[in-house]
Amino acid sequence: MQTMYTEEQEQFREVVARFLRVKSTAGDVRQLMASSEGYDVAVWRQLCGEVGLAGTHIPEEYGGAGFGPVELGIVSEEMGRYLYCGPFFASSVMAGYALLNGATESYKSAILPDIASGAKIATLVLDNLNNPGEVGAALKATKEHVVSGIASIVVDAHIADLLIVAASTPDGLGLYLVNAGSEGLSITPQEALDPTRKLSRVSLSEVRAERIGWLTESLLNQTWDQICSVLAHEMIGGAQHLFESTLEYTKVRVQFGRPIGSFQALKHRCADLLMELEFAKAAIHHAAFCLAASEGEPYVASMAKAMASDTYMEAARAGVQLRGGIGFTWEEDTHLWYKRAKSSEVFMGSAHMHRERMMTMIERASGHDTGEQP
Amino acid sequence: MSDLSVFREETRAWLIENCPEGVKGPGVVHSGSTKVTFEKDIQLWMERMADRGWTVPAWPKEYGGGGLTVEQTRVLFEEMNEIGARPPLINMGTRMFGPTLLEFGTEEQKQRHLTVIAKGGAAWCQGYSEPGAGSDLASLRCRAEDKGDYFLINGQKIWTSGAQYADWMFCLVRTDFDAAKHSGISFVLVPMDQEGVTVKPISLISGNSPFCETFLDDAIAEKRDLVGTMNEGWTIGKRLLQHERSGQGGLSPTAARPKPVGVTIDLEVDDVLKDYVNDSTISPALRDEVIDWKMRSAAFRLTQKRAGEQARDGKTPADTTSVFKLYGSTLAQDRQEIVVRLMGTQGLGWEGDTFSTDEIGAARSWLSSKAVTIYGGTNEVQANIIAKRVLGLPD
């Protein structure tokens, strides 16, 4: 199992960063967050085509690049840093992983190449994004190929061609394919606190759906883990950006005749933040290394997500506080990351949920089964 | 087979053959002090390892070390861990003073002191803090007068850990009272067994006395035991602090330390916490504290590991040691808080048969853990160092 990035991986990061630095400036983010689509089609096509990122973790046999969680983490970290607005997370990561884990071979071959090439945008429809243990209560397959119910929050459903829906059946959680525009399907975009990640309410009323596979409890948890690992990378990239920009600000902002970064109260807050960041980063990269090697502790993804949640929020709070008044104005860019930090903090489970999930896994591993689901 | 695998095989065989039973598992480690008699196995183990230079495996052979590479040193520790062997020798000479002297000492000084340290023939203590110079160490006033071929030293040192058992003290003294405070300091070596040196242990809130006051009244240090240049001892003193903090932060790649556990659920502390955590009456809030601690602890170890790998490229401890000192000491202290909290009223023991040994130990450790965020530079001073040296924030 690798414990540090290879030289190739560092070069890959530079390629991704170079692209996003130009294509996802704060100005671009502001423009896209105000639009209803929320992404730039030309940039997305470039990202899928020239740079080839949409299929980063999808095996070559399904048209992807054949990399794993480590490279995917690198892409996400840079996307988080530059606050990339686009369907990468919903389509490649969420739907991609659900399909890779749960779909039958023939559906994988049929759907994944379009996701890897960006020809189609998919999203994963889960009726609960707080806790894997609560998925399946609101979306149900009422008959063999008919799904009904409501998912109150779905990422990028408004631009999705394909909806990968997890719905409960008497035989467990089924994975269904619903095409955009299907009869009985209604997608209502919602104004969200974080306008850089577009959310919709998806309601299905007797919608015809093909069952393409199953998400057993363990596959659902595996999917959840993989998504959380990616999300945690995205978050630490954003936290790193906030940290660097805030540090820079304290060096140039002068009050009382000296840079505010010379005051001990601010110095200590910055030093604390550096430590939180460094230690969270170690945990987050470790999660990707473990998932890539199918080794390590069962709770690495929960640990990564919990630490990312706490760290990103702390970086965001410091980012606003240390800037003083300017930090909570619309004109200054900090709030873009501040809001993304909040939406990411709770998305796919809060730090508390993940700590509890980790504890339960530890107890199970050491033979103290509490009988609770993680 | 690679050279390193051959080395591992040979090391394993030798350790199995030579490691006495009495030094396996937790217990006393030889300190090199000539004032303490160690159990037979502990003494034997130290001597056998010293013969191979493995008390200080990474030091050069000419000074009593093993001359091992960083990789070989790591292999040696891994193999020692494998059989549960304790380090053969730990003191301030092996961990702090030795590495500093290797860097700054003259050939004669290295021969004179390092070879003795390597053989376990002397314990060292640290004459740094004074009653009026704690966090602001450079304001120290202990005076050393140049008397031709020796220094005459007068003043008081405090928090000198292990001074009552030490044979030598490395000491920061003021040799120029007119210079700016960082400029008039020298680094000298003082023998403890002389009339001018008096040691008084300090009783702590935990009931132990690991620290002392050391009074220097016309104490003598030989001129040849001045390390580095006169009045330029501050640089050397600071460098030694980095070695000290990297030890406290568990960072030093060549310092023997308990089995590196990586991220694992078998953290040794789990055994202590387990029974309480599995008690169904524990509140979810406290449970969350426990898991949060475990998580931070795992992340700390992962970061240590990463830093260790980077250190393998030959990088020695630098300013980032403050990051580990600060985070590590907080983590250690938090743990004691949680343990005692988990025990409820059972965590209130000092002595007496209503409390188990673990419970009394936990209460005492809770008290003694108050020292870890102070010694080696307080957390607040570490944060200042990080802000200045790592983050580049202005003064």
Side-chain angles (χ1 to χ4, degrees), chain A residues 113-129:
Chain A
D114 282 344
I115 292 179
S117 69
K120 285 195 175 144
I121 292 170
T123 189
L124 179 63
V125 181
L126 297 175
D127 52 18
N128 189 300
L129 292 175

Side-chain angles (χ1 to χ4, degrees), chain A residues 217 356 360-361 363-364 368-374, chain B residues 287:
Chain A
E217 189 192 335
E356 183 56 37
T360 309
M361 287 178 183
E363 284 166 347
R364 279 191 177 176
H368 295 278
D369 196 339
T370 58
E372 291 165 30
Q373 300 298 321
Chain B
R287 200 174 140 91

